[in-house]
Amino acid sequence: MPFYNYYRVIRVRRRIFQSLIVLFVLGNAVHIGLSFIGANNRQRKSLSLNDVEYDPVLPYRYPEEVDIRIVVITFNRASSLEKLLESLDKLELDGDTGYLEIWIDRKDDGSGDGKPGGRINLDTLKVARTFSWSRGRTRVHVHKKNVGICGQWLDTWRPRAGTRELALLLEDDVIVSPFAYRWLKAVHRKYGFRSDVAGYTLQSEQVNQANGSGALVRPKDQVAFLYKLIGSWGFAPHPGSWLAFQDWYHRVRRQGRFRPYVARASLITKWYRMFEAKQLQETMWTMWHVYYSDKYDLFTVYNNIQAVTNSADILLSVNRMEPGLHFQRKRSDSSEKLLRVWSPDYVKFPDSLLAYDFDGSLATKHSA
Ligand SMILES: *[C@@H]1O[C@H](CO)[C@@H](O)[C@H](O)[C@H]1NC(C)=O
């Protein structure tokens, strides 16, 4: 090797060596920096476990698919939200995958200009951020602007066509039994193929005839039944039906002055009209579901566990009757009656179900 060449090789080697030193020093600095940021993150994490997403695009599509998505909708009831989350912490998933999504609405700033804004209740946000769900991951979403109860229900779970995912939508004044999902999974497996199922409700208290004639008279020996009226104290929409309902809802709401009155659901319609007189009709999203179920002949599946047990503690969900949109004062509730002991009898579903119309009469023979 000629001398000059040999020298160049040395120079090149030296340059490589210098670069390596620079890289090493830089690398360490980056490493030290990272661990510093990491420590900061860990510190922050003990204060806030969950990421918060602001200004989500509605209707919301989630990036991943899970077995059960728990969608909690809340606004300004921090301690009530806490009680719901505590009950969800005991939810039995039987090895399935779950995601908890907490949706926080903003105060209506009254400007009516449709621009982003409106105050967030910080206590509620704090409860959501710091809750660590034992059953899966948690996401917190803060609406861009006030969407009200209609937006909270209609736009926070946009299922994919043909999805296997179920979602359970819960207002923050509801608590659930540890076996709520076990029941939901079983009932969807049994009746999910039917084209007349709007969804499944956990509710079994205050199930009344929608024409104002008192409590719905239920089957004596069947563990589930169909009812035209939605039960919103823990509702899991049928994914296919929900997709169609969302499309229909957004279409008619864009048209403006459409009124969802249903003659056979006379009491429900009367309430809605009373709300309209006070310009509070946007607090009653269920009216749209009532209209849609009437128009397309859809039913909600209810549990009727009481028909096969002597126990009174058989509720899959309880409305804690917190003061807020639906009740003015705190009322006593049935928290103690949540179902805490499981039996396979509760999901021995019959092949054909009795189906009740809005007025509590048996709907004409109903098959799939
Ligand atoms: C509700 O409907 C049932 C069944 O058709 C009927 O017997 C009852 O009288 C109705 N109640 C009212 C208040 O209209």
Side-chain angles (χ1 to χ4, degrees), residues 9 18 25 27 52-53 56 77 85 109 139 154 167 172 183 211 227-228 249 257 292 310-311 317 325 337 340:
V9 167
Q18 282 167 349
V25 171
V52 183
E53 180 198 26
R77 292 189 291 201
L85 297 177
D109 66 3
R139 266 196 210 104
L154 266 297
D172 65 7
W183 181 82
N211 74 345
Y227 187 23
K228 270 269 163 75
Y249 173 82
R257 294 187 52 79
Y292 187 78
N310 290 321
S311 170
S317 74
L325 213 52
K337 292 202 221 152
R340 302 211 178 271

Side-chain angles (χ1 to χ4, degrees), residues 209 211-213 266 359-361:
Q209 299 176 39
N211 74 345
S213 278
S266 54
D359 63 4
S361 63

Side-chain angles (χ1 to χ4, degrees), residues 180-235:
Y181 173 63
R182 191 177 288 175
W183 181 82
L184 274 180
K185 184 181 174 179
V187 79
H188 184 52
R189 180 177 288 170
K190 178 74 184 181
Y191 303 115
F193 73 94
R194 294 177 65 129
S195 56
D196 62 349
V197 167
Y200 316 98
T201 184
L202 303 180
Q203 180 172 348
S204 40
E205 289 191 296
Q206 293 197 23
V207 180
N208 295 320
Q209 299 176 39
N211 74 345
S213 278
L216 183 79
V217 179
R218 312 169 195 208
K220 295 226 164 17
D221 49 8
Q222 293 194 338
V223 79
F225 62 90
L226 298 174
Y227 187 23
K228 270 269 163 75
L229 182 65
I230 184 179
S232 62
W233 297 357
F235 181 68

Side-chain angles (χ1 to χ4, degrees), residues 63-301:
E64 70 290 294
E65 194 165 282
V66 288
D67 295 311
I68 178 69
R69 199 175 295 280
I70 310 286
V71 177
V72 167
I73 56 189
T74 184
F75 168 46
N76 67 352
R77 292 189 291 201
S79 69
S80 186
L81 171 65
E82 216 161 15
K83 293 192 177 79
L84 167 58
L85 297 177
E86 276 164 24
S87 80
L88 287 171
D89 221 25
K90 302 190 197 89
L91 192 68
E92 191 51 73
L93 294 194
D94 296 321
D96 284 358
T97 54
Y99 225 118
L100 173 63
E101 316 281 350
I102 306 175
W103 286 83
I104 303 177
D105 201 5
R106 286 175 188 266
K107 192 171 165 57
D108 186 357
D109 66 3
S111 64
D113 59 5
K115 289 206 191 105
R119 220 177 295 147
I120 310 167
N121 183 279
L122 293 179
D123 290 339
T124 305
L125 181 63
K126 188 173 168 212
V127 168
R129 286 186 76 166
T130 54
F131 177 71
S132 162
W133 195 36
S134 59
R135 309 291 149 143
R137 295 179 63 183
T138 306
R139 266 196 210 104
V140 182
H141 315 258
V142 178
H143 284 290
K144 189 189 294 209
K145 56 178 186 181
N146 171 266
V147 299
I149 203 78
C150 288
Q152 283 277 57
W153 272 92
L154 266 297
D155 289 332
T156 53
W157 183 59
R158 177 72 177 168
R160 296 153 209 246
T163 187
R164 295 164 55 89
E165 180 173 298
L166 268 183
L168 173 61
L169 280 78
L170 296 161
E171 291 186 23
D172 65 7
D173 51 2
V174 170
I175 52 175
V176 300
S177 153
F179 302 113
Y181 173 63
R182 191 177 288 175
W183 181 82
L184 274 180
K185 184 181 174 179
V187 79
H188 184 52
R189 180 177 288 170
K190 178 74 184 181
Y191 303 115
F193 73 94
R194 294 177 65 129
S195 56
D196 62 349
V197 167
Y200 316 98
T201 184
L202 303 180
Q203 180 172 348
S204 40
E205 289 191 296
Q206 293 197 23
V207 180
N208 295 320
Q209 299 176 39
N211 74 345
S213 278
L216 183 79
V217 179
R218 312 169 195 208
K220 295 226 164 17
D221 49 8
Q222 293 194 338
V223 79
F225 62 90
L226 298 174
Y227 187 23
K228 270 269 163 75
L229 182 65
I230 184 179
S232 62
W233 297 357
F235 181 68
H238 186 288
S241 173
W242 196 242
L243 260 177
F245 173 54
Q246 287 174 321
D247 289 346
W248 171 84
Y249 173 82
H250 286 296
R251 201 168 55 245
V252 299
R253 302 266 14 214
R254 271 197 300 275
Q255 287 163 7
R257 294 187 52 79
F258 183 84
R259 296 281 169 70
Y261 303 153
V262 177
R264 288 174 82 73
S266 54
L267 180 66
I268 308 285
T269 301
K270 191 173 132 199
W271 288 341
Y272 187 77
R273 295 178 77 124
M274 272 160 50
F275 281 132
E276 277 187 328
K278 297 182 196 158
Q279 302 206 328
L280 289 173
Q281 69 273 19
E282 293 305 316
T283 64
M284 196 176 158
W285 80 274
T286 47
M287 193 69 231
W288 297 95
H289 198 274
V290 167
Y291 185 93
Y292 187 78
S293 300
D294 184 51
K295 186 173 164 74
Y296 293 102
D297 209 14
L298 297 174
F299 292 82
T300 293
V301 186

